[in-house]
Amino acid sequence: MSKELLMLVVFFAFSSLCFGQSKIDMKDVNAMNARFNGTLRNNPANPNYFTDNSGKAVYLTGSHTWAVLQEISSDPNPVEIFDYKAYLDMMESHNHNFLRFWYFEQPSKACWSDGPTYFDPLPYQRSGTGMALDGLPKFDLEKWNEVFFTRLRSRLIEAGNKGIYVSVMLFQGFSMNIHRNPKSDPWITNPYNPKNNIKGIGAADSIPDDDVHATVHSLKNTELLKVQEKYVAKIIETVNDLDNVLYEIINEGGATDWQHHMIDFIHNYEKKMSKQHAVGMTARISSDFHNFMLYESKADWVSPRNTAMENYRENPPASKYNKVIVPDTDHLWGHGGNYKWVWKSFTRGLNPIFMDAWGPLGFKTEQFPKMLLQGGIWKDTRDYPDWEPIRQNLGYTKVYADKIDLANMFPHDELATTGYCLANPGNEYLVYFPEGGNAVLDLTRAPGKYSVEWFFPLLNLTLTGETYMKGGKLEDFISPFTGDAVLYIKKRE
């Protein structure tokens, strides 16, 4: 056995010991669920947000990073593992309430890096006879690695204890060779490669997912689909009793009809269970995918991509599709975004989230495309200058989401000359001034007295006026600060 292979065997053996969790008592589950008002479901009064048993609108916002569920390392025998507790502490301190659980299907190799990358734990046992293409035992797709499911459940409960909803990612588009990297194709180690499992089930090659070919995440592979359904059922059975769970079918992949099938499968499977959870569909990274496929789907929430017609990066379109829309910097930039984008998205009725470079993605900087280097500063670091303001302002928007009567607030771009206005006309208005300065707010049909409050995101400063403002006219507001500002007015009589 080669030294590298021996180190890899040690890594998986070591991680399986380290990642095992103690059995969770139902008292812990009940205590965690008590922080929530049941599971999330679509809000008939305001489809831009979820609701729960309280009947109130639930705004989702937060950050996510890659190693929250699986360890990701460029070393087959890592010295350190990801500090999940510290990441949850950061989320809690920043007032975040939504986290994506990243999941990678392959044990090693990543199409974004020429260097070695390892992922652990995985849901299947490597107990098969014969060797897979990476030189380790083949996967048995009928035997579960309970370490994976125990870790999933316990980490969901840890997040729930801090009031955080978690989207459980079920499959991974980047477990295919999306970047067509000739030096590091994850398909070589993927369990769904027929050469890597004992029954030879899988797809023919690593064609990135689309709506034509029989890819890994496709209805055209009926035998593989049955395996995937059993895996999804196992996930559901593992976490169904938890109130803070949502599902995401796949990250940036999956044939459209396959995603629809999986959405229906989850909804139908949970009908017979004690709880039902919201299911999400996200944009696929391919030219044949369009955002209307999300809006017209049966998904309860969606994450779109940026297009020339829907500029979710610079001028997010107002939510109008009767869906909970969760714009994610991951699908819009990869590495990107700024704090002004957070406020623009919030005042357009959206639920913005941030892909946070909190921990490295298992590669060294010299292995990644240099387009991510900005002025010599590496974007894949937690201290990149734009990232902390984004983290902070996600939490600031949640403060206002909790403060206003969100269930009755809708985007009303036509009421403010800035174009960013969330309002319940005649009662409450939240207006964003991206460049500060002045703006006109149309209150001609809203007579009465209003209290006035200014919030300045850069300073985390709130100023409240001592006098009331009268409505019933076009009102010109001038920000008292040179930077961007948020205006909040509420009717008093």
Side-chain angles (χ1 to χ4, degrees), residues 386-411:
D386 276 332
W387 299 165
E388 182 59 18
I390 293 177
R391 298 182 192 112
Q392 292 172 344
N393 281 273
L394 290 169
Y396 299 160
T397 59
K398 187 174 181 299
V399 169
Y400 274 96
D402 293 339
K403 183 175 184 175
I404 63 181
D405 181 14
L406 189 63
N408 290 303
M409 300 286 275
F410 291 85

Side-chain angles (χ1 to χ4, degrees), residues 233-440:
K234 172 67 172 177
I235 293 284
I236 294 172
E237 291 164 1
T238 300
V239 305
N240 177 262
D241 61 333
L242 306 181
D243 285 349
N244 67 322
V245 167
L246 301 89
Y247 295 108
E248 175 184 342
I249 301 300
I250 188 171
N251 174 66
E252 298 185 354
T256 305
D257 57 357
W258 175 86
Q259 289 216 56
H260 292 169
H261 174 84
M262 286 298 179
I263 293 169
D264 286 338
F265 179 84
I266 295 172
H267 284 154
N268 290 330
Y269 199 87
E270 284 200 321
K271 282 181 180 179
K272 63 183 180 182
M273 306 184 79
S274 63
K275 297 181 186 292
Q276 290 73 47
H277 300 86
V279 185
M281 180 176 176
T282 64
R284 184 174 69 241
I285 306 302
S286 62
S287 59
D288 66 335
F289 191 89
H290 307 283
N291 284 337
F292 73 81
M293 298 175 179
L294 300 175
Y295 309 141
E296 296 176 0
S297 74
K298 295 181 181 179
D300 303 299
W301 64 274
V302 298
S303 280
R305 63 191 298 183
N306 194 66
T307 70
M309 302 305 293
E310 290 186 309
N311 189 357
Y312 276 97
R313 290 180 181 175
E314 303 301 329
N315 186 23
S319 183
K320 60 181 179 180
Y321 298 103
N322 292 322
K323 294 280 189 188
V324 176
I325 298 179
V326 184
D328 188 343
T329 59
D330 175 33
H331 308 309
L332 304 181
W333 284 276
H335 287 286
N338 55 71
Y339 80 92
K340 290 185 177 183
W341 168 82
V342 174
W343 284 99
K344 289 178 180 179
S345 297
F346 176 52
T347 51
R348 290 279 170 83
L350 308 173
N351 299 253
I353 62 173
F354 170 54
M355 189 181 76
D356 196 332
W358 190 259
L361 188 51
F363 54 75
K364 298 177 181 178
T365 56
E366 61 267 21
Q367 296 169 347
F368 205 75
K370 292 185 178 179
M371 66 179 180
L372 293 183
L373 288 169
Q374 303 292 323
I377 301 175
W378 180 241
K379 277 193 169 184
D380 188 47
T381 62
R382 73 175 63 173
D383 297 326
Y384 186 76
D386 276 332
W387 299 165
E388 182 59 18
I390 293 177
R391 298 182 192 112
Q392 292 172 344
N393 281 273
L394 290 169
Y396 299 160
T397 59
K398 187 174 181 299
V399 169
Y400 274 96
D402 293 339
K403 183 175 184 175
I404 63 181
D405 181 14
L406 189 63
N408 290 303
M409 300 286 275
F410 291 85
H412 282 279
D413 305 348
E414 77 284 359
L415 295 181
T417 53
T418 68
Y420 297 101
C421 177
L422 197 63
N424 177 6
N427 293 286
E428 284 183 291
Y429 301 79
L430 190 73
V431 183
Y432 183 51
F433 293 56
E435 306 303 328
N438 71 297
V440 175

Side-chain angles (χ1 to χ4, degrees), residues 12 19 70 103-108 118-126 139 144-149 189-191:
F12 290 116
F19 302 160
Q70 296 167 300
Y103 163 65
F104 292 88
E105 299 169 7
Q106 75 275 21
S108 62
Y118 303 94
F119 307 88
D120 195 69
L122 268 64
Y124 299 111
Q125 290 186 26
R126 304 201 72 164
F139 290 93
W144 304 121
N145 175 17
E146 293 295 343
V147 170
F148 174 85
F149 298 97
T189 69
N190 194 309

